[in-house]
Amino acid sequence: MNKRFILTVIGVLTISVGFSQANILNAKSPQEIGVKTDAQIALDNDKPLEYGYVDDRDILYSRMTWEKVVLDERVNFPLYYPIDTNNIGPNRRSLFDVLISNVKSGNIENIYDDSYFNTKRTLKDIEASMVMVDTTELGIEQINAGEALSAEYINRRDITAADIVEYRIKGMWYFDKRLSELKFRLLGIAPVAPDVNFIDTDTPDLVELFWVFFPDAREVLHEAKTFNNENSAIPLSFDHLLNARRFNGYVYQEENVQGDRKISEYISDNALMQLLESDRVKDKIRNFEMDMWSY
């Protein structure tokens, strides 16, 4: 029994070392922090956990849902922070910074216009929804006078991580009859921000900046770590956090015979009733698994 306990402790410590910031206690200079040795790299098998193959014949029941993950809720803070990256290390970034930086670098090759992933978009396509460039009145006067426009009279507003209000996720709940278990598979995620052209008004419209097919971004999201409130030595990857559903989301749409209409389309101007309808959809899905064990 003692040997088993010791082996368990050693295993947990090994995992902790693997997830913590590399070499922080052995570094002789700040530049060595986070740099793994050749031996660590050789032993490192840090990859996202592969999804098991699910045959269509094993899916007894399924339901597609769309959810809003509102970022001003405390449980969703790990997706939002940090928003100021000037005074923090490069290993800590918000989910939006991770997504947009990897889209720009080409690590995430494909982004889409909507949650059905029919139309691909490019960085140039989404620029209009992420950047606003305006000329001040003094600049207009300068142009009208036939003079060259000065840079000081140009206002540029960019959507940053601080402007992200929520994420919208698409996923499928399914009952695997081979495992006799209800599971969730995340399929897409989209950052949502106010319309950049009206961002400084009182109630700007919210815009889905782009959709990412989640399995296409798992490698990137696995490498990026978020803060773990319970233990700083074991930060969570965004891939782990999202796959484990360590967030709170509200169903705003489900697949249905009316063309996957949104809850707001048949329950309008009543936030409480929309929230109750979201809970009803969740309960309907969960109850299917419970009913499977009723005799």
Side-chain angles (χ1 to χ4, degrees):
M1 189 69 178
N2 290 335
K3 288 183 179 179
R4 287 184 180 178
F5 176 76
I6 293 171
L7 290 173
T8 302
V9 171
I10 291 173
V12 170
L13 290 176
T14 303
I15 294 172
S16 301
V17 172
F19 278 102
S20 62
Q21 195 170 358
N23 209 36
I24 190 169
L25 298 180
N26 302 314
K28 295 182 174 59
S29 67
Q31 290 74 24
E32 294 181 5
I33 297 176
V35 179
K36 294 183 179 181
T37 64
D38 293 337
Q40 286 175 315
I41 294 173
L43 294 172
D44 192 3
N45 189 25
D46 191 17
K47 295 181 180 179
L49 184 64
E50 292 186 8
Y51 292 142
Y53 176 75
V54 181
D55 194 287
D56 291 340
R57 293 172 295 182
D58 292 331
I59 300 176
L60 185 63
Y61 165 87
S62 71
R63 179 69 67 180
M64 198 76 71
T65 60
W66 289 256
E67 297 175 75
K68 293 180 181 179
V69 181
V70 182
L71 296 181
D72 60 1
E73 295 187 31
R74 185 174 296 276
V75 69
N76 298 330
F77 280 179
L79 298 172
Y80 181 67
Y81 291 102
I83 56 175
D84 182 6
T85 58
N86 293 323
N87 300 314
I88 200 165
N91 60 310
R92 293 267 317 271
R93 289 293 181 269
S94 68
L95 177 57
F96 176 73
D97 280 334
V98 172
L99 289 174
I100 194 64
S101 62
N102 282 280
V103 167
K104 290 178 178 179
S105 66
N107 292 329
I108 298 177
E109 296 181 2
N110 300 313
I111 54 176
Y112 299 87
D113 186 53
D114 57 26
S115 61
Y116 294 97
F117 312 111
N118 292 324
T119 306
K120 291 185 180 181
R121 306 187 74 184
T122 64
L123 277 173
K124 188 175 181 180
D125 294 334
I126 66 175
E127 203 171 77
S129 58
M130 295 188 60
V131 179
M132 179 188 67
V133 179
D134 194 15
T135 305
T136 64
E137 293 183 1
L138 291 175
I140 294 173
E141 291 178 5
Q142 197 174 35
I143 294 172
N144 292 335
E147 301 174 5
L149 181 62
S150 301
E152 59 185 316
Y153 298 137
I154 300 175
N155 290 332
R156 180 185 173 95
R157 179 68 162 87
D158 293 270
I159 294 293
T160 65
D163 299 314
I164 303 302
V165 176
E166 63 188 41
Y167 286 94
R168 293 180 185 170
I169 63 172
K170 176 185 179 181
M172 188 175 82
W173 292 93
Y174 65 95
F175 187 86
D176 190 329
K177 66 181 182 181
R178 184 170 55 86
L179 300 176
S180 300
E181 185 178 1
L182 183 69
K183 291 190 171 186
F184 177 77
R185 179 68 61 85
L186 204 158
L187 298 176
I189 185 168
V192 178
D195 188 334
V196 70
N197 298 300
F198 306 98
I199 195 169
D200 296 322
T201 60
D202 293 334
T203 55
D205 293 331
L206 297 182
V207 177
E208 297 173 353
L209 299 179
F210 54 87
W211 278 88
V212 174
F213 187 58
F214 187 78
D216 190 32
R218 288 195 67 205
E219 292 280 352
V220 166
L221 296 178
H222 179 74
E223 293 176 3
K225 307 299 180 184
T226 185
F227 187 73
N228 184 352
N229 283 320
E230 304 299 328
N231 187 354
S232 299
I234 310 177
L236 299 171
S237 70
F238 284 112
D239 177 67
H240 180 190
L241 184 146
L242 291 167
N243 273 309
R245 292 189 60 87
R246 298 180 64 149
F247 57 83
N248 185 43
Y250 304 95
V251 175
Y252 70 91
Q253 182 180 358
E254 66 166 333
E255 60 177 352
N256 49 56
V257 69
Q258 293 91 355
D260 299 348
R261 66 175 178 172
K262 298 179 181 179
I263 290 175
S264 59
E265 293 179 17
Y266 60 93
I267 302 178
S268 59
D269 301 327
N270 193 326
L272 176 59
M273 294 305 296
Q274 290 176 1
L275 182 60
L276 293 176
E277 177 67 5
S278 170
D279 290 339
R280 185 194 69 81
V281 172
K282 290 180 180 178
D283 288 340
K284 177 180 65 176
I285 295 171
R286 286 193 292 258
N287 287 343
F288 180 88
E289 183 182 30
M290 298 298 294
D291 292 343
M292 292 298 295
W293 303 108
S294 298
Y295 297 96

